[in-house]
Amino acid sequence: MKVLNLLMRLVMLVFWGGIIYALLGPGFAEAGSTPLILGAVVLVMHILQMLMLKQVSSLLNPSTVDYLEVLVFGSFAMHRHRTRLKELSEQQKR
């Protein structure tokens, strides 16, 4: 599972690299609006995940790096936080 998570993080880095290249690269007009739309959709989803992490910040105490990881990698960075939250909820049940 960890290998798959790392692989998907690499895919996300390539995705964001492609979005940045489409925005700043020499062929911006050729790329069209598709990279902008895809980047915006993914960015909104990652911001929503950051807000979910913010809601449980009193329990998990996430750092700034944790928020940045969620912004870049999305649900692939949330896995660790979901596991911690599950462990805390199981401890409270006992």
Side-chain angles (χ1 to χ4, degrees), residues 35-53:
L36 297 175
I37 293 169
L38 292 175
V41 168
V42 172
L43 185 63
V44 166
M45 291 187 324
H46 289 187
I47 289 172
L48 289 174
Q49 290 172 342
M50 282 177 58
L51 291 174
M52 288 189 291
L53 184 59

Side-chain angles (χ1 to χ4, degrees), residues 19-89:
I19 296 297
I20 291 169
Y21 181 76
L23 288 171
L24 304 176
F28 177 74
E30 294 176 12
S33 61
T34 303
L36 297 175
I37 293 169
L38 292 175
V41 168
V42 172
L43 185 63
V44 166
M45 291 187 324
H46 289 187
I47 289 172
L48 289 174
Q49 290 172 342
M50 282 177 58
L51 291 174
M52 288 189 291
L53 184 59
K54 180 71 175 164
Q55 287 181 340
V56 293
S57 64
S58 62
L59 297 171
L60 299 178
N61 300 321
S63 66
T64 304
V65 173
D66 292 330
Y67 286 112
L68 288 175
E69 281 184 350
V70 172
L71 183 63
V72 174
F73 301 116
S75 62
F76 305 114
M78 289 290 286
H79 179 71
R80 180 180 47 156
H81 302 296
R82 283 191 302 264
T83 303
R84 286 177 51 209
L85 191 59
K86 185 177 178 181
E87 289 172 356
L88 288 173
S89 67

